[in-house]
Amino acid sequence: MDVIGGIFLDIYIVKNDGYHNSEILQLPGGSALNVAIGLSQLGHNVRMFGNVGKDFVGNFLLERLSFHAVNVEWIKKVDQNTATFITMNEKPIAIDRRINDLDLIIPKKKSEYLFITTEINERIINSDIFQNYKKTFFDIGPRPKLINKRCENVFFIGNEKECENFLFNCDVVKLGEKGAKWGEKIVALSGKKTPYGIGMGDVFDTVLIDGILNNLEKEQILHNAVNATQRISQYLGAYNKIINMKY
């Protein structure tokens, strides 16, 4: 499995009663990075393409990916700051993603499958790269408006808001606390608010793709993906959700 997408340092700030009592977590981040780690944990051979800076953050993220058996041979180190995503109480307050808009090193020899997000530059998003794969799983977040073409082998995934105004039809729609749907198939959740929402979509994508690659039935795949997200909602941070993922 090839994975293309943004690579971030995620900083989570949980402000309690006053700044001096805040909890701060620094974790590997980016939807593509999380899905790469998740698929590797489920036994798939994964290599990731992206950019990190020539800084201690970039080295830390490469070490974490390698620790989880993700091939980092094609991740480029460049003279910029590694991308950073900062939230306070689950709300984004600052994002430096400029390094992710640079070109990537992508080898001629491709894997059978690709997972990609819109956290990368528009040239790749609308290139012919997808034609080289048996199937491409494309999570259209966070910038679905950048997509202006599709190939027959592309399987689109997005949340409800992203899919509403999307140029094409989403194959699978993530409904958040309401569950998910795939065509006419809908798997519902209780609708109760989850403790920590960031990263649930990454777990959903990982379990969904794993189920498709293992030729499970559509309804079973949806059940597995929805239930997996429910089980890990108590973990703060997308990376913490991925490494504790079970289904």
Short mmCIF file of all heavy atoms in Angstrom, two decimals, residues 43-73:
data_model
loop_
_atom_site.label_atom_id
_atom_site.label_comp_id
_atom_site.label_asym_id
_atom_site.label_seq_id
_atom_site.Cartn_x
_atom_site.Cartn_y
_atom_site.Cartn_z
N GLY A 43 -1.14 -5.36 9.43
CA GLY A 43 -0.40 -6.36 8.67
C GLY A 43 -0.13 -6.04 7.21
O GLY A 43 0.39 -6.89 6.48
N HIS A 44 -0.44 -4.83 6.78
CA HIS A 44 -0.19 -4.45 5.39
C HIS A 44 1.21 -3.86 5.25
O HIS A 44 1.70 -3.18 6.15
CB HIS A 44 -1.24 -3.44 4.92
CG HIS A 44 -2.64 -3.94 5.01
ND1 HIS A 44 -3.20 -4.77 4.05
CD2 HIS A 44 -3.61 -3.77 5.96
CE1 HIS A 44 -4.44 -5.06 4.39
NE2 HIS A 44 -4.71 -4.48 5.55
N ASN A 45 1.83 -4.12 4.11
CA ASN A 45 3.11 -3.48 3.80
C ASN A 45 2.83 -2.06 3.32
O ASN A 45 2.15 -1.87 2.31
CB ASN A 45 3.86 -4.26 2.72
CG ASN A 45 4.32 -5.61 3.21
OD1 ASN A 45 4.77 -5.75 4.36
ND2 ASN A 45 4.23 -6.63 2.39
N VAL A 46 3.36 -1.08 4.02
CA VAL A 46 3.02 0.32 3.74
C VAL A 46 4.29 1.13 3.54
O VAL A 46 5.25 1.01 4.30
CB VAL A 46 2.21 0.93 4.91
CG1 VAL A 46 1.86 2.38 4.61
CG2 VAL A 46 0.95 0.12 5.18
N ARG A 47 4.28 1.95 2.52
CA ARG A 47 5.33 2.94 2.36
C ARG A 47 4.67 4.31 2.17
O ARG A 47 3.62 4.42 1.54
CB ARG A 47 6.27 2.62 1.20
CG ARG A 47 5.60 2.50 -0.14
CD ARG A 47 6.61 2.16 -1.23
NE ARG A 47 5.98 2.14 -2.54
CZ ARG A 47 6.63 2.00 -3.68
NH1 ARG A 47 7.95 1.87 -3.67
NH2 ARG A 47 5.99 1.99 -4.83
N MET A 48 5.30 5.34 2.73
CA MET A 48 4.68 6.65 2.71
C MET A 48 5.52 7.64 1.94
O MET A 48 6.76 7.60 1.99
CB MET A 48 4.47 7.16 4.14
CG MET A 48 3.70 8.47 4.18
SD MET A 48 3.08 8.90 5.81
CE MET A 48 2.09 10.34 5.35
N PHE A 49 4.84 8.53 1.20
CA PHE A 49 5.49 9.60 0.46
C PHE A 49 5.06 10.94 1.07
O PHE A 49 3.87 11.17 1.29
CB PHE A 49 5.10 9.57 -1.02
CG PHE A 49 5.23 8.21 -1.66
CD1 PHE A 49 4.24 7.74 -2.49
CD2 PHE A 49 6.32 7.41 -1.42
CE1 PHE A 49 4.35 6.49 -3.10
CE2 PHE A 49 6.45 6.16 -2.00
CZ PHE A 49 5.46 5.70 -2.84
N GLY A 50 6.01 11.83 1.29
CA GLY A 50 5.68 13.12 1.85
C GLY A 50 6.93 13.92 2.12
O GLY A 50 8.04 13.55 1.69
N ASN A 51 6.79 15.02 2.83
CA ASN A 51 7.91 15.91 3.15
C ASN A 51 7.97 16.21 4.64
O ASN A 51 6.92 16.42 5.27
CB ASN A 51 7.76 17.24 2.41
CG ASN A 51 7.82 17.08 0.91
OD1 ASN A 51 8.73 16.46 0.38
ND2 ASN A 51 6.85 17.65 0.20
N VAL A 52 9.18 16.22 5.18
CA VAL A 52 9.41 16.72 6.53
C VAL A 52 10.59 17.69 6.48
O VAL A 52 11.35 17.70 5.51
CB VAL A 52 9.71 15.58 7.54
CG1 VAL A 52 8.53 14.65 7.69
CG2 VAL A 52 10.96 14.82 7.14
N GLY A 53 10.74 18.49 7.51
CA GLY A 53 11.84 19.42 7.57
C GLY A 53 13.11 18.76 8.07
O GLY A 53 13.09 17.68 8.66
N LYS A 54 14.22 19.45 7.83
CA LYS A 54 15.51 19.00 8.37
C LYS A 54 15.64 19.54 9.79
O LYS A 54 16.54 20.32 10.10
CB LYS A 54 16.65 19.49 7.48
CG LYS A 54 16.68 18.87 6.10
CD LYS A 54 17.84 19.41 5.28
CE LYS A 54 17.88 18.78 3.90
NZ LYS A 54 18.99 19.34 3.07
N ASP A 55 14.73 19.11 10.64
CA ASP A 55 14.70 19.60 12.01
C ASP A 55 14.43 18.43 12.95
O ASP A 55 14.20 17.29 12.51
CB ASP A 55 13.65 20.71 12.19
CG ASP A 55 12.27 20.32 11.63
OD1 ASP A 55 11.99 19.12 11.52
OD2 ASP A 55 11.48 21.23 11.30
N PHE A 56 14.47 18.69 14.23
CA PHE A 56 14.28 17.60 15.19
C PHE A 56 12.88 17.01 15.10
O PHE A 56 12.67 15.82 15.38
CB PHE A 56 14.57 18.08 16.62
CG PHE A 56 13.55 19.02 17.19
CD1 PHE A 56 12.50 18.55 17.97
CD2 PHE A 56 13.63 20.38 16.94
CE1 PHE A 56 11.56 19.42 18.49
CE2 PHE A 56 12.68 21.26 17.45
CZ PHE A 56 11.65 20.78 18.22
N VAL A 57 11.90 17.82 14.69
CA VAL A 57 10.53 17.32 14.54
C VAL A 57 10.46 16.32 13.39
O VAL A 57 9.86 15.25 13.51
CB VAL A 57 9.54 18.48 14.31
CG1 VAL A 57 8.14 17.94 14.05
CG2 VAL A 57 9.54 19.41 15.51
N GLY A 58 11.09 16.66 12.26
CA GLY A 58 11.11 15.74 11.13
C GLY A 58 11.76 14.42 11.49
O GLY A 58 11.26 13.35 11.14
N ASN A 59 12.87 14.48 12.22
CA ASN A 59 13.55 13.25 12.65
C ASN A 59 12.66 12.43 13.57
O ASN A 59 12.62 11.19 13.47
CB ASN A 59 14.86 13.60 13.36
CG ASN A 59 15.90 14.16 12.41
OD1 ASN A 59 15.89 13.87 11.21
ND2 ASN A 59 16.80 14.98 12.93
N PHE A 60 11.95 13.10 14.47
CA PHE A 60 11.05 12.42 15.39
C PHE A 60 9.94 11.69 14.63
O PHE A 60 9.63 10.53 14.92
CB PHE A 60 10.46 13.43 16.37
CG PHE A 60 9.25 12.94 17.12
CD1 PHE A 60 9.35 11.93 18.06
CD2 PHE A 60 8.00 13.51 16.89
CE1 PHE A 60 8.22 11.49 18.75
CE2 PHE A 60 6.87 13.07 17.58
CZ PHE A 60 6.99 12.05 18.51
N LEU A 61 9.35 12.35 13.63
CA LEU A 61 8.25 11.74 12.89
C LEU A 61 8.73 10.56 12.05
O LEU A 61 8.04 9.53 11.96
CB LEU A 61 7.57 12.79 12.01
CG LEU A 61 6.90 13.95 12.76
CD1 LEU A 61 6.31 14.95 11.79
CD2 LEU A 61 5.84 13.44 13.72
N LEU A 62 9.91 10.68 11.45
CA LEU A 62 10.46 9.56 10.69
C LEU A 62 10.74 8.37 11.60
O LEU A 62 10.50 7.21 11.23
CB LEU A 62 11.74 9.99 9.97
CG LEU A 62 11.57 10.98 8.83
CD1 LEU A 62 12.94 11.41 8.29
CD2 LEU A 62 10.73 10.39 7.71
N GLU A 63 11.23 8.66 12.80
CA GLU A 63 11.50 7.58 13.76
C GLU A 63 10.21 6.87 14.17
O GLU A 63 10.17 5.64 14.25
CB GLU A 63 12.20 8.16 14.99
CG GLU A 63 12.64 7.13 16.01
CD GLU A 63 11.53 6.70 16.98
OE1 GLU A 63 10.66 7.55 17.30
OE2 GLU A 63 11.52 5.51 17.39
N ARG A 64 9.14 7.63 14.38
CA ARG A 64 7.87 7.02 14.79
C ARG A 64 7.29 6.16 13.65
O ARG A 64 6.77 5.07 13.88
CB ARG A 64 6.87 8.11 15.18
CG ARG A 64 7.08 8.74 16.53
CD ARG A 64 6.78 7.79 17.68
NE ARG A 64 7.91 6.93 18.03
CZ ARG A 64 7.83 5.86 18.81
NH1 ARG A 64 6.67 5.49 19.33
NH2 ARG A 64 8.88 5.14 19.07
N LEU A 65 7.35 6.66 12.43
CA LEU A 65 6.86 5.89 11.29
C LEU A 65 7.65 4.59 11.15
O LEU A 65 7.07 3.51 10.95
CB LEU A 65 6.95 6.71 10.01
CG LEU A 65 5.88 7.78 9.81
CD1 LEU A 65 6.30 8.78 8.75
CD2 LEU A 65 4.55 7.15 9.44
N SER A 66 8.96 4.68 11.25
CA SER A 66 9.80 3.48 11.14
C SER A 66 9.51 2.51 12.28
O SER A 66 9.48 1.29 12.07
CB SER A 66 11.28 3.87 11.16
OG SER A 66 11.61 4.68 10.05
N PHE A 67 9.28 3.03 13.47
CA PHE A 67 8.94 2.19 14.62
C PHE A 67 7.70 1.35 14.33
O PHE A 67 7.61 0.19 14.76
CB PHE A 67 8.71 3.06 15.85
CG PHE A 67 8.23 2.31 17.06
CD1 PHE A 67 9.12 1.62 17.87
CD2 PHE A 67 6.88 2.28 17.40
CE1 PHE A 67 8.69 0.91 18.98
CE2 PHE A 67 6.43 1.58 18.51
CZ PHE A 67 7.34 0.89 19.30
N HIS A 68 6.74 1.93 13.59
CA HIS A 68 5.51 1.23 13.26
C HIS A 68 5.61 0.49 11.91
O HIS A 68 4.59 0.12 11.33
CB HIS A 68 4.34 2.21 13.22
CG HIS A 68 3.99 2.76 14.58
ND1 HIS A 68 3.40 2.02 15.57
CD2 HIS A 68 4.16 4.01 15.10
CE1 HIS A 68 3.22 2.76 16.64
NE2 HIS A 68 3.67 3.98 16.39
N ALA A 69 6.84 0.27 11.45
CA ALA A 69 7.12 -0.54 10.26
C ALA A 69 6.59 0.07 8.96
O ALA A 69 6.28 -0.63 8.00
CB ALA A 69 6.59 -1.96 10.43
N VAL A 70 6.48 1.40 8.92
CA VAL A 70 6.13 2.10 7.68
C VAL A 70 7.42 2.44 6.96
O VAL A 70 8.35 3.00 7.56
CB VAL A 70 5.33 3.38 7.97
CG1 VAL A 70 5.08 4.16 6.67
CG2 VAL A 70 4.00 3.05 8.64
N ASN A 71 7.50 2.12 5.68
CA ASN A 71 8.68 2.41 4.87
C ASN A 71 8.76 3.92 4.62
O ASN A 71 7.85 4.50 4.03
CB ASN A 71 8.59 1.65 3.54
CG ASN A 71 9.83 1.80 2.69
OD1 ASN A 71 10.52 2.81 2.71
ND2 ASN A 71 10.13 0.78 1.90
N VAL A 72 9.87 4.56 5.06
CA VAL A 72 10.01 6.02 4.94
C VAL A 72 11.07 6.40 3.90
O VAL A 72 11.50 7.55 3.84
CB VAL A 72 10.35 6.65 6.30
CG1 VAL A 72 9.24 6.41 7.30
CG2 VAL A 72 11.69 6.13 6.84
N GLU A 73 11.47 5.45 3.07
CA GLU A 73 12.54 5.68 2.10
C GLU A 73 12.26 6.87 1.18
O GLU A 73 13.16 7.57 0.74
CB GLU A 73 12.75 4.41 1.27
CG GLU A 73 13.80 4.52 0.20
CD GLU A 73 13.91 3.26 -0.64
OE1 GLU A 73 13.14 2.29 -0.39
OE2 GLU A 73 14.76 3.23 -1.55
#
